[in-house]
Amino acid sequence: MNEKLQKIKQEVIDNLNKIRDMNVLRDFETKIMGRKGELTEILRGISAMSDEDKKNIGRLANDVKMELSAKFEELKDVLGKTKSDAIIDVTLPGEKLPQGHLHPITIIQNDLEDFFTSLGFVIADGPELESDYYNFEALNIPPHHPARDMQDTFYIDSKNKEGEYDMVMRTHTSNVQVRAMQKFGAPLKCIMPGKCYRSEATDVRHEHTFYQIEGLMIGEDINMSHLKGVLEATAKHLYGPDTKVRLRPKFYPFVEPGVNGEVTCFLCKGAGCRLCKNTGWLEVFGAGMTHPNVLRAGGIDPEKYQGFAFGFGLNRLVMGSYGIEDIRLFNSGDLRFLTQF
Amino acid sequence: MNLSLNWLKDYVNIHKKTTAEEIGKMLSLRTVEVEKITNEGDKFNGVIVGKILEVAKHPNADRLQLAKVNIGDRVLDIVCGAPNIAPGQLVPVAMVGAILPNGMEIKEAEVRGVKSSGMLCAADEIGLGTDHSGIMILGKKAKVGKPFAEYLDLDDIVLEVDNKSLSNRPDLWGHYGMAREISAIFNLKLKPLNEMIVGKLEDIAKAERGPVWLDLKVKVENQELCPRYMAVAMTGVKIADSPEWMKKRLSAAGMRPINNIVDITNYIMLELGQPMHAFDASLVKNSKNEHRIIVRQAKKGEVMETLDKEKRNLDPEMLLIANEEKALAIAGVMGGANSEINPTTDTIIIESANFNPTSIRKTSGKLSLRTESSVRYEKSLDPNLCETALLRAVDLVKAICPGAKTASEYSDISNFVTKTGPLEIEAAWLAKKIGNKLPAREIVKILNNLGFATEHIGHKFIVNIPTWRATKDVSIAEDIVEEITRIYGYENLETTMPKVEMEEPEKNEERILERKIKDILTGTPALCEVYNYSFVGDDQLKKLNIDSAGYVRLVNPIASHQTMLRQSLVPNLLGNIRANQARYDSFGLFEIGSIFMSAPGDINKNSQKTELLPYQEKHLGIILAGNNDKEIFARAKGVVEHLFASLKLPAYFKEKDMKPVWSDGRMVAKIMSGATELGMVVKLDSQLAKRQGLKKEAVMAEIGLKNLLVLYKTARKESYEALEKYPSATRDLAFVVDAKILYNDIKDAIAGSNPSVKDIELFDVYEGDKLGSGKKSLAFHITYQADRTLTNEEVETFQKDLMKKLEEKFEAKLRDF
């Protein structure tokens, strides 16, 4: 039995030295080591032996088996490496994993929320179906004020005791200003993002449903130069470190002074192009120092506190950044659009 | 509003080197938005002076003529319909390619078989009046081949101002007010009004009386709606065209010249911002030959015809100018056709009045009639302006109609106060608002230039508000801050970041949850986020069998399919399937958005908190579209499970008793977490799907964020469990039960069978012929684990006991194959 084992071991080693091909090697391995292989047959014979032989021969047989297996594996490694006929195209695409997409306005809103949160601002919410009071009156826009012309309003079909429609779809996120003041008091730093509505016909440039972010900062000495500072920081965050902000007078009833904030056109860097209508500036913000009447409506003493508010449209921001020309795409639910973000 | 640069220069001496572009830019930075700057002459690009050489009859049309016209470098053949042309005349010729002020584009044309290379223009066609009786015949100074603009002396530049940026500034609706701004911006002297208007009110009566003298009387019934009414009659006017200089000014400002009297009223409006009206006195006269003007509210059902020949239905909220017998004008909005200036007019009554802005605004809104006059009155005009304007009108009528004389005493019924201050403003307060300390001299100069008489006394500024800013625009010290800073220049203020004390951050937990959900769903489930409108329509709901009775409706919807506020995200998500089904085989979308109920919610309507707004809440809606309904139903439940697992919340499904009317009745599951129902997963009925044009099967899940947030805050399990010390043993168990028996019950039975059951995983569900009808086979991996190493024998016993229990409880049969 011992000899048999030694013999087969030598034969195998001799043969292995000659083999240069993986397939030949595999066949040879099966012939020796397989379930019906020569070595296996020998090993199977051991079970019929006496206990003593079993112990001695068994150990030897096992050693031979281990040794040969190792030789086979060794040669497999060598042959495997030198094998050159199977070409692997590494440029093939990888396994396709399904991908989800956030809406582009969500992306920019999250980004701005994170920016303002890092400055210590709170994110405040308010209702989209709003009372005339919070959307207009509390913001220093009494009934029949010409400023109501600036915003075509969707009214809710429900009248109050005086027989007036007193609820609207909010026309701006400014409706949250007074709510936030009442909730948090002064000092206050908050932003208010959300969906807004104006009753105007939709076309490539106009949408009756759109998104804004509003900001409000109230303190004992929050002044106009701080308003400029925060707007400039925001503009730089959005458009890069070289961006400048230019303020122009603009009337909003809830601020005094009221301004319009323009930023350096990010496309032409202020040189003038089609996007900025050759002015070098893009209109981005509405802003101003909070009107004392608004502070009063929010329960904040205007003798003690002052501050600023600003707001901007997210749709326009996204349109500018991506060169989107049709505002209606945002509410289209069209996957060809949405899967690009 | 259009501003004529030449007109502005009447009042302020603008430096010759200052370009229109610079003025436009500075106005935009300091006052109002200038949208466009155009050279007046550009209106007539392509229109040149031509000389008619020959006129012949058109061969195919009796009324048309053929003209040969010399335009300098060549001769054009032009077909013309006007009868007044003759050889030798000089005429304006619009060449091919010209775009006329009325928008007409001149093209090479064939008129009844004859080629026509251009057009001879009538005055109205080129915006120079209303005359359409014939071609405009030019005077001798016209030079053949030269631009028509040159003949007209069009050297003006027009600055177009965005009217919206003027909505708070009643003083800027005339050139004089704008000139005042320019004087402040460039620090130039403004020509005082009294240099232009020589007369005083008292002089009117003293002046030479005309041959006609009217006993003009004015009665104002409601002084709140009409704070001031001034009127005077003038006679000996002769209605004719206005002088060229006036026509040019009006045209530059975008107003059509009509006749001298009407033009004078318009001129003053564009100069001072005060709307004026002129009546033909003979048509104001009542049957007793008296001239009585009554300012009164309209009667119910009253009708009058306005200047534009429209019949207007009036109501008592509208203010009228009338005599005892008839309405003459809608106050501040438009004159009546019955008292209009006409070619035979020789005596006029000039009105210079002030009306309540809200009343004018309501009236013009109700009548859908916004006029140059009403837009100005809406802005709260200064009642003092009536006087200036009336004097100006008398002056201009006398200047333009040389024989004209005063024909009545002037009337002045007034009841108003102007709150002109003074405001006392501390210098330190100003610096605190602005964040910069501006030089006191600069502040005083800016305010005085703007007409705010200002003194700097000690540490205070004493500021008087001019009447033209005192009606609404400026009343508090903050308004003065704006005046100072805008003229000083916002770009000249320092920019600083605020210094603030740190505070404990206030977390917005709903926003945090919302963002987390969005991140989860766009991750492994690979859904795409959509934004939908908050509106739904009757037809849309009807197609889903939804009763729209309790829906909140809009008063003024924009379209018939967007009349109500949604109560669920489902209807619009279904629309998203329609938008994409042609291009995608299967897809999944989600939206987080508000829903609205008519019942009151928990948000207060006003500061007094006496009333509540309708209930509104954010929902999460998920929709999956595909071809195999069972697969997408299972997938939708998988998405929900993944969401809850990611939020560290438990979730399972239960049968739902109250099924939505649009569901298919079978695939409807409640989403449960603990004992809380959070939403549902529903397959849309296939018939209903077809009814709305869906070519896919659709499964929706909808979850209210309010309950989810409560759960997220209270039930989230974010703890660590020590790794097990002893090995676990997993065994498979497959058995057949009646198809009606629910997974939840079986799972509970397995879990309760033995305290060592650690984990139960269903890995196969099979229904098929092999099992017989009404049967299903379920296969589980069951993992046992205890505080010691379980032996093989123990686990075998657990399995046997479990199977026995399942047999007893559910008549389950071990599946042996």
Short mmCIF file of all heavy atoms in Angstrom, two decimals, chain B residues 618-661:
data_model
loop_
_atom_site.label_atom_id
_atom_site.label_comp_id
_atom_site.label_asym_id
_atom_site.label_seq_id
_atom_site.Cartn_x
_atom_site.Cartn_y
_atom_site.Cartn_z
N LYS B 618 -49.02 68.00 5.25
CA LYS B 618 -48.19 67.45 4.18
C LYS B 618 -48.37 65.94 4.10
O LYS B 618 -48.44 65.28 5.13
CB LYS B 618 -46.73 67.80 4.42
CG LYS B 618 -46.41 69.19 3.91
CD LYS B 618 -44.94 69.44 3.81
CE LYS B 618 -44.71 70.81 3.20
NZ LYS B 618 -43.39 71.32 3.52
N HIS B 619 -48.47 65.46 2.88
CA HIS B 619 -48.56 64.02 2.66
C HIS B 619 -47.37 63.56 1.83
O HIS B 619 -46.81 64.33 1.06
CB HIS B 619 -49.84 63.69 1.88
CG HIS B 619 -51.03 63.48 2.75
ND1 HIS B 619 -52.17 62.87 2.32
CD2 HIS B 619 -51.26 63.80 4.05
CE1 HIS B 619 -53.06 62.81 3.30
NE2 HIS B 619 -52.53 63.39 4.36
N LEU B 620 -47.05 62.29 2.01
CA LEU B 620 -46.11 61.64 1.11
C LEU B 620 -46.93 60.75 0.19
O LEU B 620 -47.72 59.93 0.68
CB LEU B 620 -45.11 60.79 1.91
CG LEU B 620 -44.36 59.73 1.11
CD1 LEU B 620 -43.44 60.36 0.07
CD2 LEU B 620 -43.55 58.82 2.04
N GLY B 621 -46.78 60.92 -1.09
CA GLY B 621 -47.45 60.05 -2.04
C GLY B 621 -46.42 59.31 -2.87
O GLY B 621 -45.44 59.90 -3.32
N ILE B 622 -46.62 58.00 -3.00
CA ILE B 622 -45.70 57.19 -3.81
C ILE B 622 -46.54 56.52 -4.87
O ILE B 622 -47.65 56.06 -4.58
CB ILE B 622 -45.01 56.12 -2.94
CG1 ILE B 622 -44.14 56.78 -1.87
CG2 ILE B 622 -44.19 55.15 -3.79
CD1 ILE B 622 -43.58 55.80 -0.83
N ILE B 623 -46.04 56.47 -6.08
CA ILE B 623 -46.80 55.76 -7.11
C ILE B 623 -45.84 54.91 -7.93
O ILE B 623 -44.76 55.36 -8.29
CB ILE B 623 -47.60 56.75 -8.00
CG1 ILE B 623 -48.59 55.98 -8.85
CG2 ILE B 623 -46.69 57.60 -8.86
CD1 ILE B 623 -49.74 56.81 -9.32
N LEU B 624 -46.27 53.67 -8.14
CA LEU B 624 -45.47 52.79 -8.99
C LEU B 624 -46.33 52.39 -10.18
O LEU B 624 -47.51 52.09 -10.01
CB LEU B 624 -45.04 51.53 -8.24
CG LEU B 624 -44.18 51.73 -6.98
CD1 LEU B 624 -43.76 50.37 -6.42
CD2 LEU B 624 -42.95 52.56 -7.28
N ALA B 625 -45.74 52.41 -11.35
CA ALA B 625 -46.47 52.03 -12.55
C ALA B 625 -45.74 50.88 -13.21
O ALA B 625 -44.51 50.85 -13.23
CB ALA B 625 -46.55 53.21 -13.51
N GLY B 626 -46.50 49.90 -13.70
CA GLY B 626 -45.87 48.76 -14.36
C GLY B 626 -46.92 47.92 -15.02
O GLY B 626 -48.08 48.32 -15.13
N ASN B 627 -46.51 46.73 -15.43
CA ASN B 627 -47.44 45.90 -16.17
C ASN B 627 -48.05 44.77 -15.34
O ASN B 627 -49.14 44.32 -15.63
CB ASN B 627 -46.75 45.34 -17.41
CG ASN B 627 -46.28 46.48 -18.31
OD1 ASN B 627 -47.01 47.45 -18.52
ND2 ASN B 627 -45.05 46.38 -18.79
N ASN B 628 -47.34 44.33 -14.32
CA ASN B 628 -47.85 43.24 -13.49
C ASN B 628 -48.30 43.80 -12.15
O ASN B 628 -47.49 44.26 -11.34
CB ASN B 628 -46.73 42.21 -13.30
CG ASN B 628 -47.19 41.03 -12.48
OD1 ASN B 628 -48.01 41.16 -11.57
ND2 ASN B 628 -46.65 39.87 -12.80
N ASP B 629 -49.63 43.78 -11.91
CA ASP B 629 -50.15 44.47 -10.73
C ASP B 629 -49.66 43.86 -9.43
O ASP B 629 -49.35 44.56 -8.48
CB ASP B 629 -51.67 44.59 -10.79
CG ASP B 629 -52.35 43.25 -10.92
OD1 ASP B 629 -51.65 42.22 -11.08
OD2 ASP B 629 -53.59 43.22 -10.86
N LYS B 630 -49.59 42.51 -9.38
CA LYS B 630 -49.16 41.88 -8.12
C LYS B 630 -47.72 42.24 -7.80
O LYS B 630 -47.36 42.49 -6.65
CB LYS B 630 -49.31 40.37 -8.21
CG LYS B 630 -50.73 39.94 -7.88
CD LYS B 630 -50.84 38.45 -7.72
CE LYS B 630 -52.29 38.07 -7.53
NZ LYS B 630 -52.60 36.78 -8.15
N GLU B 631 -46.91 42.25 -8.84
CA GLU B 631 -45.50 42.59 -8.63
C GLU B 631 -45.34 44.00 -8.10
O GLU B 631 -44.58 44.24 -7.16
CB GLU B 631 -44.73 42.48 -9.96
CG GLU B 631 -43.97 41.21 -10.10
CD GLU B 631 -43.36 41.08 -11.49
OE1 GLU B 631 -42.97 42.12 -12.07
OE2 GLU B 631 -43.31 39.94 -12.00
N ILE B 632 -46.04 44.96 -8.73
CA ILE B 632 -45.82 46.34 -8.27
C ILE B 632 -46.49 46.58 -6.92
O ILE B 632 -46.02 47.39 -6.13
CB ILE B 632 -46.23 47.41 -9.31
CG1 ILE B 632 -47.67 47.24 -9.76
CG2 ILE B 632 -45.28 47.45 -10.46
CD1 ILE B 632 -48.14 48.44 -10.56
N PHE B 633 -47.56 45.82 -6.62
CA PHE B 633 -48.16 45.94 -5.29
C PHE B 633 -47.14 45.49 -4.23
O PHE B 633 -46.93 46.18 -3.23
CB PHE B 633 -49.43 45.10 -5.22
CG PHE B 633 -50.20 45.25 -3.94
CD1 PHE B 633 -50.78 46.47 -3.61
CD2 PHE B 633 -50.35 44.18 -3.05
CE1 PHE B 633 -51.49 46.62 -2.43
CE2 PHE B 633 -51.06 44.33 -1.87
CZ PHE B 633 -51.63 45.55 -1.56
N ALA B 634 -46.49 44.35 -4.52
CA ALA B 634 -45.48 43.84 -3.59
C ALA B 634 -44.31 44.82 -3.49
O ALA B 634 -43.76 45.07 -2.43
CB ALA B 634 -44.99 42.48 -4.04
N ARG B 635 -43.97 45.39 -4.64
CA ARG B 635 -42.85 46.32 -4.66
C ARG B 635 -43.18 47.59 -3.85
O ARG B 635 -42.35 48.10 -3.10
CB ARG B 635 -42.51 46.68 -6.11
CG ARG B 635 -41.21 47.41 -6.21
CD ARG B 635 -40.67 47.58 -7.61
NE ARG B 635 -39.73 48.69 -7.58
CZ ARG B 635 -38.53 48.61 -7.04
NH1 ARG B 635 -38.13 47.48 -6.50
NH2 ARG B 635 -37.74 49.66 -7.01
N ALA B 636 -44.41 48.08 -4.03
CA ALA B 636 -44.81 49.28 -3.30
C ALA B 636 -44.73 49.03 -1.80
O ALA B 636 -44.26 49.87 -1.04
CB ALA B 636 -46.22 49.70 -3.71
N LYS B 637 -45.20 47.84 -1.39
CA LYS B 637 -45.11 47.52 0.03
C LYS B 637 -43.64 47.43 0.46
O LYS B 637 -43.28 47.86 1.56
CB LYS B 637 -45.83 46.21 0.33
CG LYS B 637 -47.35 46.37 0.26
CD LYS B 637 -48.09 45.18 0.84
CE LYS B 637 -47.85 43.94 -0.01
NZ LYS B 637 -48.58 42.78 0.53
N GLY B 638 -42.81 46.92 -0.44
CA GLY B 638 -41.38 46.84 -0.15
C GLY B 638 -40.78 48.22 0.04
O GLY B 638 -39.96 48.44 0.94
N VAL B 639 -41.21 49.17 -0.81
CA VAL B 639 -40.71 50.55 -0.70
C VAL B 639 -41.10 51.12 0.66
O VAL B 639 -40.29 51.72 1.37
CB VAL B 639 -41.26 51.43 -1.84
CG1 VAL B 639 -40.92 52.90 -1.59
CG2 VAL B 639 -40.69 50.99 -3.19
N VAL B 640 -42.36 50.89 1.05
CA VAL B 640 -42.84 51.40 2.34
C VAL B 640 -42.03 50.76 3.48
O VAL B 640 -41.59 51.44 4.40
CB VAL B 640 -44.35 51.12 2.50
CG1 VAL B 640 -44.81 51.43 3.92
CG2 VAL B 640 -45.14 51.94 1.49
N GLU B 641 -41.84 49.44 3.41
CA GLU B 641 -41.06 48.76 4.45
C GLU B 641 -39.64 49.31 4.52
O GLU B 641 -39.10 49.54 5.61
CB GLU B 641 -41.01 47.25 4.19
CG GLU B 641 -42.28 46.55 4.59
CD GLU B 641 -42.34 45.12 4.06
OE1 GLU B 641 -41.52 44.75 3.20
OE2 GLU B 641 -43.23 44.37 4.51
N HIS B 642 -39.05 49.54 3.34
CA HIS B 642 -37.69 50.07 3.31
C HIS B 642 -37.65 51.45 3.96
O HIS B 642 -36.72 51.77 4.72
CB HIS B 642 -37.20 50.15 1.86
CG HIS B 642 -35.88 50.82 1.71
ND1 HIS B 642 -34.68 50.16 1.94
CD2 HIS B 642 -35.56 52.09 1.41
CE1 HIS B 642 -33.68 51.01 1.77
NE2 HIS B 642 -34.18 52.19 1.45
N LEU B 643 -38.67 52.26 3.64
CA LEU B 643 -38.72 53.61 4.20
C LEU B 643 -38.77 53.55 5.73
O LEU B 643 -37.99 54.20 6.42
CB LEU B 643 -39.96 54.34 3.66
CG LEU B 643 -40.28 55.68 4.32
CD1 LEU B 643 -39.19 56.70 4.01
CD2 LEU B 643 -41.63 56.21 3.85
N PHE B 644 -39.68 52.70 6.24
CA PHE B 644 -39.82 52.63 7.69
C PHE B 644 -38.58 52.04 8.33
O PHE B 644 -38.13 52.51 9.38
CB PHE B 644 -41.08 51.82 8.06
CG PHE B 644 -42.32 52.66 7.98
CD1 PHE B 644 -42.88 52.98 6.76
CD2 PHE B 644 -42.92 53.15 9.13
CE1 PHE B 644 -44.02 53.77 6.67
CE2 PHE B 644 -44.06 53.94 9.07
CZ PHE B 644 -44.61 54.25 7.82
N ALA B 645 -38.02 51.03 7.70
CA ALA B 645 -36.81 50.42 8.26
C ALA B 645 -35.70 51.46 8.32
O ALA B 645 -34.96 51.56 9.30
CB ALA B 645 -36.39 49.23 7.42
N SER B 646 -35.60 52.30 7.26
CA SER B 646 -34.55 53.32 7.24
C SER B 646 -34.80 54.38 8.30
O SER B 646 -33.87 54.99 8.80
CB SER B 646 -34.47 53.98 5.87
OG SER B 646 -34.31 53.00 4.87
N LEU B 647 -36.08 54.62 8.59
CA LEU B 647 -36.42 55.60 9.63
C LEU B 647 -36.34 54.97 11.02
O LEU B 647 -36.63 55.62 12.02
CB LEU B 647 -37.83 56.15 9.40
CG LEU B 647 -38.05 57.01 8.16
CD1 LEU B 647 -39.54 57.33 7.99
CD2 LEU B 647 -37.24 58.29 8.22
N LYS B 648 -35.97 53.69 11.07
CA LYS B 648 -35.88 52.94 12.33
C LYS B 648 -37.26 52.85 13.00
O LYS B 648 -37.39 53.00 14.20
CB LYS B 648 -34.88 53.59 13.32
CG LYS B 648 -33.54 53.92 12.72
CD LYS B 648 -32.77 52.66 12.42
CE LYS B 648 -31.42 52.99 11.77
NZ LYS B 648 -30.92 51.86 10.99
N LEU B 649 -38.27 52.64 12.16
CA LEU B 649 -39.62 52.48 12.69
C LEU B 649 -40.14 51.11 12.25
O LEU B 649 -39.84 50.67 11.14
CB LEU B 649 -40.55 53.55 12.11
CG LEU B 649 -40.39 54.97 12.64
CD1 LEU B 649 -41.27 55.92 11.83
CD2 LEU B 649 -40.75 55.05 14.12
N PRO B 650 -40.93 50.44 13.12
CA PRO B 650 -41.53 49.18 12.70
C PRO B 650 -42.66 49.45 11.71
O PRO B 650 -43.23 50.53 11.72
CB PRO B 650 -42.09 48.61 14.01
CG PRO B 650 -42.34 49.81 14.87
CD PRO B 650 -41.31 50.83 14.48
N ALA B 651 -42.95 48.50 10.85
CA ALA B 651 -44.09 48.66 9.93
C ALA B 651 -44.61 47.31 9.51
O ALA B 651 -43.86 46.36 9.37
CB ALA B 651 -43.66 49.45 8.70
N TYR B 652 -45.91 47.21 9.37
CA TYR B 652 -46.51 45.99 8.80
C TYR B 652 -47.82 46.39 8.13
O TYR B 652 -48.25 47.55 8.23
CB TYR B 652 -46.73 44.94 9.89
CG TYR B 652 -47.65 45.36 11.01
CD1 TYR B 652 -49.00 45.00 11.00
CD2 TYR B 652 -47.16 46.12 12.07
CE1 TYR B 652 -49.84 45.38 12.04
CE2 TYR B 652 -48.00 46.51 13.11
CZ TYR B 652 -49.34 46.15 13.09
OH TYR B 652 -50.17 46.54 14.09
N PHE B 653 -48.41 45.44 7.43
CA PHE B 653 -49.63 45.76 6.67
C PHE B 653 -50.82 45.03 7.25
O PHE B 653 -50.69 43.91 7.75
CB PHE B 653 -49.43 45.37 5.20
CG PHE B 653 -48.30 46.12 4.57
CD1 PHE B 653 -47.05 45.52 4.42
CD2 PHE B 653 -48.45 47.44 4.19
CE1 PHE B 653 -45.98 46.22 3.87
CE2 PHE B 653 -47.39 48.14 3.65
CZ PHE B 653 -46.15 47.52 3.49
N LYS B 654 -51.96 45.68 7.16
CA LYS B 654 -53.19 45.05 7.62
C LYS B 654 -54.25 45.21 6.55
O LYS B 654 -54.16 46.13 5.74
CB LYS B 654 -53.67 45.73 8.91
CG LYS B 654 -53.31 44.98 10.18
CD LYS B 654 -53.71 45.77 11.38
CE LYS B 654 -54.73 45.03 12.22
NZ LYS B 654 -54.94 45.71 13.51
N GLU B 655 -55.25 44.35 6.59
CA GLU B 655 -56.35 44.51 5.64
C GLU B 655 -57.11 45.77 5.98
O GLU B 655 -57.25 46.13 7.14
CB GLU B 655 -57.31 43.33 5.75
CG GLU B 655 -56.82 42.11 5.02
CD GLU B 655 -57.91 41.07 4.95
OE1 GLU B 655 -58.47 40.74 6.01
OE2 GLU B 655 -58.19 40.60 3.84
N LYS B 656 -57.60 46.48 4.94
CA LYS B 656 -58.30 47.72 5.19
C LYS B 656 -59.79 47.53 4.94
O LYS B 656 -60.18 46.99 3.91
CB LYS B 656 -57.73 48.82 4.30
CG LYS B 656 -58.24 50.20 4.68
CD LYS B 656 -57.31 51.30 4.18
CE LYS B 656 -57.92 52.67 4.36
NZ LYS B 656 -58.15 53.07 5.76
N ASP B 657 -60.60 47.95 5.89
CA ASP B 657 -62.05 47.82 5.73
C ASP B 657 -62.62 48.91 4.83
O ASP B 657 -63.37 48.67 3.92
CB ASP B 657 -62.74 47.89 7.10
CG ASP B 657 -62.15 46.86 8.05
OD1 ASP B 657 -61.76 45.78 7.56
OD2 ASP B 657 -62.04 47.15 9.25
N MET B 658 -62.23 50.15 5.12
CA MET B 658 -62.72 51.28 4.33
C MET B 658 -61.81 51.45 3.11
O MET B 658 -60.75 52.03 3.22
CB MET B 658 -62.68 52.56 5.17
CG MET B 658 -63.59 52.53 6.38
SD MET B 658 -65.27 52.93 5.93
CE MET B 658 -65.10 54.68 5.61
N LYS B 659 -62.27 50.92 2.00
CA LYS B 659 -61.41 50.98 0.82
C LYS B 659 -61.72 52.21 -0.01
O LYS B 659 -62.89 52.56 -0.17
CB LYS B 659 -61.59 49.72 -0.02
CG LYS B 659 -61.09 48.51 0.74
CD LYS B 659 -61.31 47.21 0.00
CE LYS B 659 -60.61 46.10 0.75
NZ LYS B 659 -61.49 45.03 1.19
N PRO B 660 -60.72 52.86 -0.55
CA PRO B 660 -61.00 54.02 -1.40
C PRO B 660 -61.86 53.61 -2.60
O PRO B 660 -61.71 52.50 -3.10
CB PRO B 660 -59.63 54.48 -1.88
CG PRO B 660 -58.63 53.76 -1.07
CD PRO B 660 -59.28 52.57 -0.47
N VAL B 661 -62.72 54.54 -3.04
CA VAL B 661 -63.65 54.21 -4.13
C VAL B 661 -62.93 53.88 -5.42
O VAL B 661 -63.50 53.25 -6.30
CB VAL B 661 -64.64 55.37 -4.39
CG1 VAL B 661 -65.67 55.43 -3.30
CG2 VAL B 661 -63.91 56.70 -4.51
#
